[in-house]
Amino acid sequence: MALNREQKLKAYKDMLLIRQFESKLPVLIAEGHAWGEAHQYIGQEAVAVGVSSALTKEDSVTSTHRGHGHLIAKGGEVKYMFAELAGKATGYCKGKGGSMHITSLEHGIYGANGMVGQGVCIALGVAFANKYKKDHTVTVAYFGDGAANEGTIHECMNLASILKLPIIFLCENNKYAITTDADYATSVKDISVRAAGYNMPGVTVDGMDIEAVHAATLEAVNRARAGEGPTLIEAKCYRFFDHFNSYPKICPFRYRKEEEIEEWKKRDPIPAFEQKLLAEGVAQEELDSIITDVDKEIEEGVQFMIDSPYPDMSEAYTDMYTDKHYTMPIRGW
Ligand SMILES: Cc1ncc(C[n+]2csc(CCOP(=O)(O)OP(=O)(O)O)c2C)c(N)n1
Ligand SMILES: [Mg+2]
């Protein structure tokens, strides 16, 4: 079923929230509020939002190192996300997960993942458990074009197929794995054709078009819920910025042409969707008020992050899966 008016406006808001969250992040890192690297999702918003618009709250997702958009699209609140990225006690993982391991089981997010491809293995376990419980939920395993060439993905697709697991393999083909062009590193033009090798449907969809992503995901969701097993969806998209925020500083090597970036930016999913909504009769004022709401949510989120405390020192070893015997004693603690 196509998105209705209310769902479309929600999707528009979610795409803007992701864009604004990701735009704010390098600023917060430069100002010393947040830590680490930011793998920005800017340019790919239509994928996460299109996928989540076909899921229910109970459905699950495993994410990647470029995972902020996946969590926001699944209902994550930006204030707890900012706090997490700043290592604050109020963050989704009490400040201990950070950008690349942010998790919120309440939203069905079984973690972002710094290990490329490994979220897919976790998704397989989640889907297996849910099939066993007969709860009719679906799990989406996000991975990139780079991850698509890792062995683990292929093992997971085979197992999911023979066990008919309710899982969607969602490949975000943004054309690059750090600096490696998918056209060079991948044996096929469309990654979706690999589905045939695992006896499951495979489809390539325009990842810059939120409604196209929604439609393809919904079909796969219906199939999974009906017990018919997995689907591979390849969403062709593009990241507008570099691999992570400070990447150009450590690697000035230009691996893509400015003209290519400009061409993709012309297909920016947000203005494209905005034009579509206006053509369908949504008033500019309504879109403006959504923009104002998003700006406010971001501003309040940043303030929440700044006002939040760091975790207490006594929390250093709680919620951790580290054997105390193998941790290094830290001087002065
Ligand atoms: C197992 C593993 N190998 C290598 C890396 C280093 N690494 C981090 S991101 C990345 C590229 C991933 O590309 P892709 O899957 O296309 O995701 P994208 O960054 O484009 O979203 C690599 C090689 C890693 N983190 N984990
Ligand atoms: Mg990629």
Side-chain angles (χ1 to χ4, degrees):
M1 228 170 36
L3 294 168
N4 63 30
R5 188 181 192 279
E6 195 189 333
Q7 290 169 319
K8 283 182 188 175
L9 292 180
K10 160 101 177 48
Y12 176 67
K13 182 183 178 193
D14 285 350
M15 285 206 284
L16 277 177
L17 255 185
I18 297 172
R19 177 73 53 103
Q20 300 288 58
F21 181 90
E22 296 290 54
S23 304
K24 195 80 193 170
L25 216 47
V27 180
L28 297 177
I29 292 171
E31 287 173 357
H33 289 297
W35 310 97
E37 303 296 353
H39 296 84
Q40 291 163 296
Y41 197 67
I42 294 176
Q44 300 181 211
E45 295 89 344
V47 182
V49 175
V51 167
S52 279
S53 66
L55 301 178
T56 67
K57 191 171 182 293
E58 290 69 36
D59 291 326
S60 305
V61 157
T62 61
S63 179
T64 66
H65 55 285
R66 199 175 300 289
H68 309 148
H70 303 150
L71 179 47
I72 293 174
K74 195 73 178 46
E77 287 187 58
V78 294
K79 63 179 186 176
Y80 302 124
M81 292 179 65
F82 278 131
E84 183 58 36
L85 270 52
K88 297 292 181 87
T90 52
Y92 272 120
C93 307
K94 302 181 192 172
K96 299 176 193 178
S99 164
M100 276 191 276
H101 293 278
I102 193 165
T103 303
S104 174
L105 297 186
E106 171 201 345
H107 296 96
I109 298 269
Y110 282 78
N113 207 308
M115 296 303 294
V116 168
Q118 300 311 302
V120 180
C121 306
I122 296 170
L124 211 72
V126 176
F128 180 79
N130 292 340
K131 182 176 169 126
Y132 191 75
K133 289 191 286 187
K134 296 190 173 62
D135 72 0
H136 300 290
T137 61
V138 172
T139 302
V140 173
Y142 285 103
F143 60 101
D145 49 284
N149 294 329
E150 288 195 340
T152 186
I153 305 280
H154 298 272
E155 294 174 38
C156 288
M157 289 204 275
N158 184 60
L159 196 53
S161 177
I162 62 170
L163 297 178
K164 282 204 180 313
L165 295 184
I167 187 168
I168 299 169
F169 295 95
L170 205 301
C171 179
E172 295 189 79
N173 183 352
N174 63 7
K175 207 168 144 40
Y176 292 96
I178 309 187
T179 53
T180 305
D181 195 326
D183 290 343
Y184 161 77
T186 312
S187 58
V188 286
K189 190 171 146 288
D190 294 327
I191 290 168
S192 65
V193 304
R194 290 180 173 172
Y198 302 102
N199 193 24
M200 67 173 88
V203 58
T204 293
V205 67
D206 180 0
M208 309 303 269
D209 178 347
I210 186 244
E211 290 176 276
V213 176
H214 168 81
T217 309
L218 195 59
E219 204 176 321
V221 164
N222 290 339
R223 205 181 115 72
R225 286 208 214 287
E228 290 167 24
T231 301
L232 169 61
I233 299 176
E234 175 196 19
K236 298 237 200 237
C237 53
Y238 201 75
R239 60 168 157 75
F240 290 172
F241 289 91
D242 265 297
H243 179 59
F244 53 66
N245 58 311
S246 58
Y247 203 78
K249 270 191 228 145
I250 61 166
C251 177
F253 163 62
R254 297 312 301 159
Y255 56 94
R256 51 185 191 176
K257 295 197 171 79
E258 287 308 316
E259 305 88 76
E260 178 185 289
I261 302 172
E262 288 317 308
E263 273 312 304
W264 277 93
K265 280 188 176 171
K266 283 185 198 154
R267 305 193 47 228
D268 188 328
I270 298 180
F273 193 44
E274 207 167 70
Q275 288 310 312
K276 197 143 189 274
L277 291 172
L278 290 170
E280 287 173 10
V282 174
Q284 183 64 55
E285 294 71 43
E286 202 165 352
L287 298 183
D288 290 345
S289 98
I290 293 174
I291 296 170
T292 309
D293 288 349
V294 167
D295 288 346
K296 189 161 169 271
E297 211 168 315
I298 293 288
E299 235 172 79
E300 288 174 357
V302 170
Q303 199 54 50
F304 175 82
M305 173 202 82
I306 292 170
D307 295 342
S308 291
Y310 286 109
D312 191 80
M313 207 63 100
S314 64
E315 292 263 327
Y317 292 116
T318 59
D319 308 311
M320 309 292 274
Y321 290 93
T322 309
D323 188 323
K324 266 194 189 142
H325 299 292
Y326 293 104
T327 53
M328 294 286 287
I330 298 172
R331 208 170 306 169
W333 278 29

